[in-house]
Amino acid sequence: MLEDLNIKDFALIDEASLEFTKGFTVLSGETGAGKSILIGALSFLLGGRGGIEQIRTGCGEAHVSGTFTVENKEALHWLSDHDIELEDNRILLRRQIRSTGKSSAWIGGSPVTRGELTEFSSYLVDIHGQHEHQSLMRVPEHRRFLDSYAGITGEVSAFTSVYTELCQKRQLLAELNSNDATRRQKIDLLSFAVKEIEEAKLKAGEDDELEAEETRLSSFERLYSGIEGINGMLSLEEDSVVPLMKKLRSAVSHVTELDKDLSPLMERIEAAFYEISDISEEFKSYERGLIFDPDRLSKVQERLETLRKLKKKYASSSTAPIAEVIAYCQSARTQLEKLGGTDADRSSLVKEIESLKQTAYKQAIAISASRSAAAFRMSVGVEQILQKLGMSGTKFSVNVVQNDDKTMTNCNAFGIDEVEFLISANPGSPLLPLAKIASGGELSRVMLAIKTILAQSDMVSTLVFDEIDTGIGGQIAVSVGDHMKKLSDKKQILCITHLASIAVYADTQIKIQKAVLDGSTSTHVRVLSAKERVSEIARMLAGDTASPESLEHARMMLNKFGG
């Protein structure tokens, strides 16, 4: 359960601190006040995408933190596996993003990656984002919902791994069985490339080293002249640095004997003298070692030309790093191993493919059986909830069609089933694809029903709905509010809504307001008192927070439906 949320310099929110309770919490406010910013901050905290545009204008970074109580066994196991300890069954999540684009995240006191944060938080919160119900328009998503309800996502993932390996083996076999002439030509080309690259005896970083050496050798005269001049300035001329430093050192020594307060300066002069003297000796040593070697320059340039030709043939460009040529050689060796398969290799590969087909088929049949059993339960469950959400007489079906293909050639990475949601919104009408006939309001309620039955089968304790009320109103909105209120007996519910008939069911109401101060726009968030809530409900009902009629209507609804 989410206990508190603290936000600083995120989007239009300069600073906000909120405490949450169990039950049903509604977030309301004028259109454009920034209601979704609060959910955006929570999503960011849970591992959502972070971008510098989320940082409040004029600030260097944005911070979001939140405290959660953890009772989910999977979440507890995750923490144990990552050596992260709880305090009183609570864990603090923190995340920040800087203006450089770099973001950081912590679970408890441990820094984590965004992927780890997303994985862990998925055990705590499920956010149904604005317009997410549109995913019901995408038939492939129906399979994902069913698998989640059936609790077989792990089994499907295992099948996907086997299926992927099967596809890879089949592709390899196809390459081995390809036209021998084409295969031989490819082998010849790859063999030539490997031989040419191996004979060159390349070393990683060799090109950078040679280019630096070529620059040094080809610029010998300028380099020698420059070093000679530096040595002259340092020590070889009467007014050069080292002799002057000696004189300075002697002069400072004399005055220091007269005033000991100058001792710190004397020490610094001493240090500078020895440092300059050491630098001077190193430049002299460097000059003594300078030898012009035209033969070496010629060899370096020849080697660089060899590398350039290899890069032109086997890398992305003639200026690419030599590492690309080395990588190409390694890849070519791997391809040669695959293409050089013998009949024995083919025979072994055929046996492997057959074994993988049998394994994949057994897994797919088991998954299909689980889907079929869960599809019936899910159909009944969604249908029952839809009756309560104002869709009386609606028929809902999770249709699972099995492609019984033992060859595993016409299946996909998720099994041998095609899954699609069907609906009949009117008594007597046939079941038809949900994606083709449902309205926006119907899609919202179907998604709410699906989220509800998924919540009954998982351990996530907090459900967040961002404008689930799209396309509904009147008595239907009352039904949705009543449903969310009952669902909050088992789950913590947070919901953004613009409908008073939903908001009145909430145990707690949070107001989001936008304000402009000194030319700067900011969003403020606060929990409403009982009196303030009456005014807010009146505003949601009629846009009027002052008239006695609006306020009385609001009080009446809160007394009738409120908890």
Side-chain angles (χ1 to χ4, degrees), residues 463-481:
L463 301 180
V464 181
F465 295 99
D466 184 359
E467 298 195 9
I468 191 71
D469 51 21
T470 302
I472 63 174
Q475 186 57 41
I476 293 175
V478 173
S479 300
V480 170

Side-chain angles (χ1 to χ4, degrees), residues 393-434:
T394 296
K395 297 295 181 183
F396 181 86
S397 175
V398 181
N399 190 41
V400 180
V401 178
Q402 184 187 101
N403 173 23
D404 190 4
D405 182 8
K406 294 182 180 180
T407 63
M408 301 303 292
T409 54
N410 295 321
C411 68
N412 58 43
F414 307 106
I416 55 176
D417 302 310
E418 296 294 335
V419 179
E420 185 172 11
F421 295 161
L422 307 178
I423 192 169
S424 169
N426 301 300
S429 298
L431 286 164
L432 294 172
L434 172 71

Side-chain angles (χ1 to χ4, degrees), residues 197-214 296 299-300 302-308 310-311 320-326:
I197 296 170
E198 286 181 343
E199 286 179 348
K201 296 181 180 179
L202 304 178
K203 296 177 182 178
E206 176 185 7
D207 46 347
D208 292 332
E209 294 176 5
L210 289 171
E211 285 170 1
E213 186 176 2
E214 183 195 27
R296 176 57 185 168
K299 289 178 181 178
V300 167
E302 287 177 7
R303 181 63 173 174
L304 282 172
E305 180 61 19
T306 298
L307 299 186
R308 189 191 66 80
L310 289 174
K311 290 178 183 181
I322 200 65
E324 286 191 18
V325 179
I326 296 172

Side-chain angles (χ1 to χ4, degrees), residues 249-264:
R249 180 177 170 226
S250 177
V252 175
S253 176
H254 288 311
V255 297
T256 302
E257 291 176 359
L258 302 175
D259 186 351
K260 298 301 181 183
D261 288 344
L262 296 174
S263 295

